[in-house]
Amino acid sequence: TSLLRTYSHACYHYGKLLRAKDNPAEAMQRFINATHSRTRDYHILGRVYSNMGDLCHLAGDFQLSYDMFEKSGEMYLLNGDSLLYFYDLNNMAYELAEQGKKEETMALLNTIPVIDEDLSSLTNFTKAELYMKIGHYDSAIYYAHSARISEISSIGASLILAQSYSFLEIEDSAVYYANFIIGHSNSLSSINNALYILSNDD
């Protein structure tokens, strides 16, 4: 049992290292190896499946990402960790939001209790993403402002604000939040989106 646990941990940490080195394909293989390890360390398996969900999201496969976060949540429940389970419920809702599935997203979000500020901010961020995807920019702005309270969702919420204000042709606000992203984010995707706004909004 200890050998299985050690192997699964090694796969997880090597996968994380490969992710940091921008090698998602090899990272995914290491995470898959961890799921095949037959370990009963459900906490590490929860983290493994969560990372797999992130990689699927980055590849644009939102349904598979949803499935991975669902599996991650199951592992956390087996480990008795309800808080991380609720975070995974939000991750699942976010993948639905990315697909513009309003009813399904809101139904899942309504099952998540308000436990801490970070989780509350993330659920508001998911709502903001949903409303931006379906073109309800006023609602997206409302929830994005609520999501900015926590550092964990500040950059993502700022991008939604910049994009929503840009779509509403409120250029001064769009530029304000785009500049905030340039000054505070290390994400190339967020920076590229911000630069697009700055190059198109006067």
Side-chain angles (χ1 to χ4, degrees):
T1 301
S2 62
L3 286 176
L4 296 178
R5 184 177 184 276
T6 300
Y7 176 70
S8 63
H9 275 252
C11 290
Y12 167 72
H13 289 294
Y14 192 26
K16 289 282 288 183
L17 178 64
L18 288 165
R19 274 196 69 180
K21 296 292 185 181
D22 198 25
N23 193 340
E26 287 295 321
M28 181 64 90
Q29 186 58 59
R30 297 305 176 273
F31 293 138
I32 291 171
N33 290 347
T35 68
H36 292 169
S37 67
R38 295 182 290 124
T39 182
R40 293 184 181 179
D41 186 338
Y42 297 119
H43 176 78
I44 202 69
L45 287 175
R47 293 195 175 278
V48 165
Y49 281 113
S50 182
N51 274 270
M52 292 169 73
D54 286 338
L55 290 173
C56 292
H57 177 88
L58 292 172
D61 193 335
F62 304 130
Q63 183 55 54
L64 185 56
S65 180
Y66 176 98
D67 294 340
M68 294 299 101
F69 286 127
E70 183 176 36
K71 191 70 175 175
S72 174
E74 291 172 1
M75 296 299 105
Y76 288 136
L77 276 184
L78 287 171
N79 196 52
D81 194 330
S82 58
L83 179 60
L84 289 179
Y85 170 71
F86 293 136
Y87 272 88
D88 267 327
L89 286 183
N90 179 70
N91 289 335
M92 292 160 62
Y94 188 83
E95 299 308 315
L96 294 172
E98 284 278 36
Q99 299 171 71
K101 297 180 177 180
K102 182 181 178 182
E103 290 76 16
E104 295 93 327
T105 302
M106 297 305 295
L108 193 51
L109 288 174
N110 288 335
T111 67
I112 303 174
V114 179
I115 295 178
D116 64 21
E117 184 178 274
D118 284 343
L119 183 56
S120 177
S121 294
L122 284 172
T123 57
N124 283 323
F125 175 63
T126 297
K127 292 174 186 176
E129 180 70 16
L130 169 66
Y131 284 115
M132 193 185 73
K133 286 292 182 183
I134 63 178
H136 295 181
Y137 302 119
D138 289 336
S139 295
I141 289 168
Y142 172 82
Y143 285 109
H145 277 299
S146 298
R148 287 188 88 229
I149 293 172
S150 172
E151 185 177 341
I152 198 170
S153 53
S154 176
I155 297 300
S158 296
L159 180 57
I160 290 175
L161 287 168
Q163 292 173 326
S164 295
Y165 280 124
S166 182
F167 283 126
L168 291 173
E169 299 183 354
I170 306 175
E171 285 87 358
D172 55 344
S173 295
V175 166
Y176 172 83
Y177 288 106
N179 278 319
F180 175 85
I181 293 164
I182 298 296
H184 293 84
S185 177
N186 294 321
S187 165
L188 289 178
S189 175
S190 295
I191 292 171
N192 285 337
N193 282 315
L195 288 172
Y196 177 84
I197 291 170
L198 291 173
S199 65
N200 286 277
D201 288 343
D202 186 353

